[in-house]
Amino acid sequence: MSLHLQNIDHIVNGVPHISGIDLALEPGSFNVLLGRTLAGKTTLMRLMAGLEPPTRGKIIIDGKDVTNVSVRKRNVSMVYQQFINYPSLTVYDNIASPLKLAKHPKSAIDKRVGEIAEMLHIEHLLNRYPQELSGGQQQRTAMGRALIKDADLILFDEPLVNLDYKLREELRDELRDLFQARNCIAVYATTEPNEALALGGNTAVLHEGKLLQYGPTEQVYREPNGRFSAEMFSEPPINIVPGRLTDTEITFDQSLHFPCDDKLKRLEPGDYDFGVRASHLTLQPQRADDLALDVHVDVAEISGSETFLHVHHERFPLVLHLSGIHQFSVNEPLKVYFPTHQLYAFDKQGHTVHIPARQGGAAHG
Amino acid sequence: MAEITLKGLAHSYEKTPKGAADYAIRQMDHVWHQGGAYALLGPSGCGKSTLLNIISGLLEPSEGDVLFDGQRVNELPPEERNIAQVFQFPVIYDTMTVFDNLAFPLRNMNTPEYRVKPKVLEVADILELTSLLDRKAKNLTADEKQKVSMGRGLVRDDVTAILFDEPLTVIDPQLKWKLRRKLKEIHERFNITMIYVTHDQLEASTFADKIAVMYEGQVVQFGTPRELFERPAHTFVGYFIGSPGMNFMAVEYRDDQVMFGTQPLPVSEQMKHAVANASSANAIANDISYNNIKLGIRPEFIAIASNPTADSVPIQVTSVQDLGTYSLLTFKLNEQTFKARLPEGHPPVGEAAFAHFDAAHVALYIDEYLVEAGHE
């Protein structure tokens, strides 16, 4: 099936929750809704499911207007943040419940439950009750129930947020593989840019109830259409430094001058916000045109195998994303190198006006 | 100020524990030195909360001793241990002002008012709460409330240690790094022993100089964040630290080679000897019925190329995910799935490729513990 949201507005008690969203989801597509808390992700999913009708606009499924068709008459599954299972039913019966309700023959149910449980690695737990399971196993059970019926639309509302990061890694991988083999539309809400990248598919960036950008995940990441989209879709967030562009150079903070990259010279001279990815800043110079900056360390956030180094220059803060473990003291002075050839430029309305060339080739098997 | 020693410590919730499985904490010795910034890291159910409760005095250990500066404190109730605790959810008096919240522990000990004020002002200044001192606590944001919780531990001069139990859970993701910075600053300034309990590697490695990784009731490694990454002392640490974690291969020594199934592995001479020794040692100690020898390598230390070299192995690439700052490559070797991390801008890789394991980062594990690590 295809799903088309046409100019959707949703207003609750006079407060707009969704404003002017137009979004067409292709059959068999995996779609991530990326946005911070209160960006409108859950509201949008409720509208897609038919749990409530939008204030304005239409919802079209396979060319038919279903705007006012209730959730019961749509073939939809949902998985929530909380692990929702029937406490008095075994894992088997939890997963089987949608098929039992639809009065499928027992042999067919047996077969399907077996397949789904195997896919989710819970086949050895079928006789247990939810309260005897770990959080990850409970969420797998809830997913099993959502996956067993051939829903046209499956909605995941931050399903992994209450699990520890190791389980999240594993389940994310499984989900990707799972949906490659299915023909329904999947929609997956998350606040984490790295989760969107790990899931792949398409990403819709939401901010304050508006759709900022929609497209293939990698493309949205590399070619954000505006400053907000770039900021929402990066963790640590892309560094933004305001500056002035003349015919030959860029000036940061009225005092830092550097010659600008040839490709930036085609822009009109004026004030811009320049963006540089945290992973493109370095502790050693990489090229002759790198700009050396004197900074002080705020904190080094270390995540097992990588370091997010927060520093501040006299007038602006920066974040570096370094591979490996690097420890620094608070307020330690440091030199960092700013790649002047890898700048994004946003105009003062927040639109992207320049995207740096990609380094090297794409690594694709 | 205190050094906290755990001596022969073990704890079981069973009255008559029968085997290791009945212990939430298996027998351990451990020292938290005065002034250290420590983390206790592990998945849920590893025993870290039990250990925290034993240190704070909420729980009396069933075996062994807890010593503060050499004094046994097993039976001392929490309020007599001079330990401050910061929990997941801020514990503050909503109807009181920030000032009164911070002053509470001092007034509770009958500290004269002329000494309360300067101390509260000092702590408020460090925590950047000065402008909020007259506000009612209930009107604060979550991060401000959590700072007040911390401040209540810091105003007391008699506090021997501060225990943190997942203190950033309720903090907005965009604000977390600021509180992390604040915590480090406080540690550097106050020289108090701090123990931070969490299941999150980022929380632990950012805060602590040394991390105790707990697994099944035991501390399996006590080391710096760099040591946990570069030289995991136990396979669990290799798996749990890093995203994704370490790759492991069950190997044996056969025909003068280190074999991973049918695949001979090119390893350093030193590693080859170590595996050979482990294999023969296992053969002699025949009463050990298993043969648990593994090599571990982190995804960061596997290089992928389209053409073979003298010390690479042929692999089958199953997927490449572009994760923005790097790509994650999944491949099969000897029917097993591996992960390798490719830097941004890595040349494209086809389905048939070759993997090279950096000898300096291949580690040997016997019965899950590190026996031999590579050398730089």
Side-chain angles (χ1 to χ4, degrees), chain B residues 252-303:
Chain B
E252 57 184 336
Y253 188 73
R254 215 166 57 218
D255 307 331
D256 202 26
Q257 280 179 312
V258 175
M259 300 295 290
F260 172 46
T262 54
Q263 175 66 51
L265 294 178
V267 294
S268 68
E269 277 304 303
Q270 204 171 354
M271 190 55 78
K272 197 163 122 182
H273 285 301
V275 175
N277 284 338
S279 301
S280 54
N282 263 352
I284 292 160
N286 256 342
D287 50 326
I288 302 171
S289 59
Y290 48 79
N291 196 14
N292 185 358
I293 309 175
K294 288 176 188 158
L295 291 185
I297 177 97
R298 288 203 176 272
E300 287 81 357
F301 304 121
I302 301 180

Side-chain angles (χ1 to χ4, degrees), chain A residues 271-297:
Chain A
D271 290 333
Y272 293 94
D273 286 317
F274 294 96
V276 63
R277 295 213 178 270
S279 57
H280 292 162
L281 288 160
T282 51
L283 298 177
Q284 262 87 43
Q286 306 291 311
R287 283 172 48 134
D289 60 356
D290 279 357
L291 179 67
L293 293 174
D294 289 306
V295 298
H296 285 86
V297 172

Side-chain angles (χ1 to χ4, degrees), chain B residues 30-105:
Chain B
H30 195 82
V31 180
W32 310 99
H33 290 288
Q34 147 60 24
Y38 298 110
L40 192 53
L41 172 69
S44 49
C46 71
K48 60 188 191 299
S49 302
T50 302
L51 194 57
L52 185 74
N53 289 338
I54 287 172
I55 296 171
S56 69
L58 289 170
L59 193 66
E60 203 182 310
S62 52
E63 294 166 34
D65 293 326
V66 182
L67 311 172
F68 282 16
D69 283 334
Q71 297 290 314
R72 186 172 182 272
V73 297
N74 286 32
E75 293 84 15
L76 269 195
E79 57 276 17
E80 285 169 41
R81 293 193 182 191
N82 294 336
I83 277 183
Q85 287 207 67
V86 179
F87 300 95
Q88 268 189 29
F89 301 98
V91 180
I92 53 173
Y93 298 101
D94 265 353
T95 54
M96 286 189 193
T97 62
V98 170
F99 187 99
D100 289 341
N101 263 288
L102 293 175
F104 188 85

